[in-house]
Amino acid sequence: MTTESRTTDQPTSPAGAPTLQARNSAAFWTATGESRGHEVIRRRGFIAVDGDQRAGLRILIREPDLDPAEVTEVGELVRRALGPVLVEDPFSSTDLSHLGMRTWQMPIMLRLPGPVDAPALDVTRVRRPEDLQAAERIVIEGFELDGFEPHRAGELFPTTLIEQPGVDVFTASVDGVPAGAGVSVVADGVASHYWIAASTAFRSRGVGRAVMLGALAHVADLPATLTASKLGRPLYESLGYRVASPSTWCASA
């Protein structure tokens, strides 16, 4: 898989943001699944990463018009999943209510190419295994990923993840101590960001902003998308992101 193309044929407008996010998220979860050694199922309308009892099943809807056979297959994957299930639909167009999962929405946000301020903290692109483990611990803590506790080094972020083209992990440090982390992915000429987190010991100290600025500095010439939580949205708006469209998420628990 190649994720490092820096050209795009998709419109960089709010209307095109779901497609941009879907393409990037597909690249990210494919890279994640392959680096973990999990099965990656590719269909026209979706991809699925079928993991173990801790990682669970991750499904990304990557087209707005799944056919009946694809919807049926998604349902079968959900029903036989070994662990927790998470479904992302950037188009909010596929009805999965019959599966009885919890559903919510978060906004897809779009940032057009433009200058980026320097971060106030030290931000490093991860290259060493020990730094990747530090980033992994921060993300598990920050997102309360209880399924990955007790911590097993390399389970969430295998070493081979940062060997995938277009995938980078960044950490921000406070007085030399890793305090924040995040993942940046470039695919089809679009950048996107995942797992932006700050350690609980360093919250409200500008750590998340530093991670984002450090990651954006490497892709300032590209359009960028992300899916924002309620707490993260003000930060992203301050960095030039604007709400484009809703993304629908479903979870088994």
Side-chain angles (χ1 to χ4, degrees):
M1 181 194 65
T2 299
T3 62
E4 59 184 349
S5 170
R6 294 182 76 89
T7 61
T8 180
D9 58 359
Q10 293 298 320
T12 53
S13 66
T19 297
L20 299 179
Q21 181 61 38
R23 284 189 172 190
N24 195 284
S25 192
F28 173 56
W29 285 107
T30 298
T32 298
E34 290 177 346
S35 66
R36 292 177 181 172
H38 294 162
E39 181 183 9
V40 179
I41 300 165
R42 299 171 177 86
R43 300 291 184 262
R44 180 199 65 87
F46 71 89
I47 67 162
V49 179
D50 199 1
D52 55 20
Q53 291 183 332
R54 280 163 61 101
L57 171 70
R58 179 74 181 237
I59 297 174
L60 169 76
I61 307 299
R62 60 177 179 179
E63 296 291 345
D65 57 344
L66 268 64
D67 61 42
E70 289 175 323
V71 173
T72 296
E73 186 175 5
V74 167
E76 291 172 350
L77 288 169
V78 170
R79 281 187 285 272
R80 73 171 193 238
L82 296 176
V85 177
L86 188 64
V87 181
E88 175 187 356
D89 179 4
F91 306 95
S92 294
S93 61
T94 300
D95 183 6
L96 298 177
S97 59
H98 60 288
L99 299 178
M101 294 190 289
R102 178 172 61 92
T103 302
W104 70 100
Q105 288 191 323
M106 294 187 289
I108 295 173
M109 304 186 76
L110 173 66
R111 182 185 189 274
L112 298 179
V116 177
D117 292 338
L121 302 175
D122 290 331
V123 178
T124 303
R125 184 186 294 184
V126 169
R127 288 290 181 264
R128 302 183 303 172
E130 57 267 36
D131 295 330
L132 188 61
Q133 288 183 27
E136 181 179 56
R137 287 183 175 276
I138 290 168
V139 169
I140 290 172
E141 176 191 343
F143 280 88
E144 299 180 349
L145 301 179
D146 296 337
F148 287 93
E149 295 287 5
H151 177 243
R152 299 173 185 170
E155 186 178 28
L156 181 67
F157 291 165
T159 302
T160 52
L161 179 63
I162 55 175
E163 297 172 2
Q164 296 281 343
V167 179
D168 286 298
V169 176
F170 293 88
T171 58
S173 299
V174 175
D175 298 328
V177 178
V183 180
S184 176
V185 177
V186 174
D188 294 319
V190 177
S192 195
H193 306 280
Y194 306 86
W195 298 126
I196 305 300
S199 173
T200 54
F202 294 99
R203 285 184 178 164
S204 301
R205 296 180 64 175
V207 172
R209 175 179 294 275
V211 172
M212 282 297 299
L213 288 172
L216 279 170
H218 297 274
V219 294
D221 60 327
L222 298 178
T225 63
L226 54 75
T227 303
S229 66
K230 183 177 181 180
L231 291 176
R233 177 173 167 176
L235 166 62
Y236 305 134
E237 288 179 331
S238 73
L239 297 175
Y241 286 85
R242 296 294 177 262
V243 171
S245 62
S247 177
T248 299
W249 295 65
C250 305
S252 60

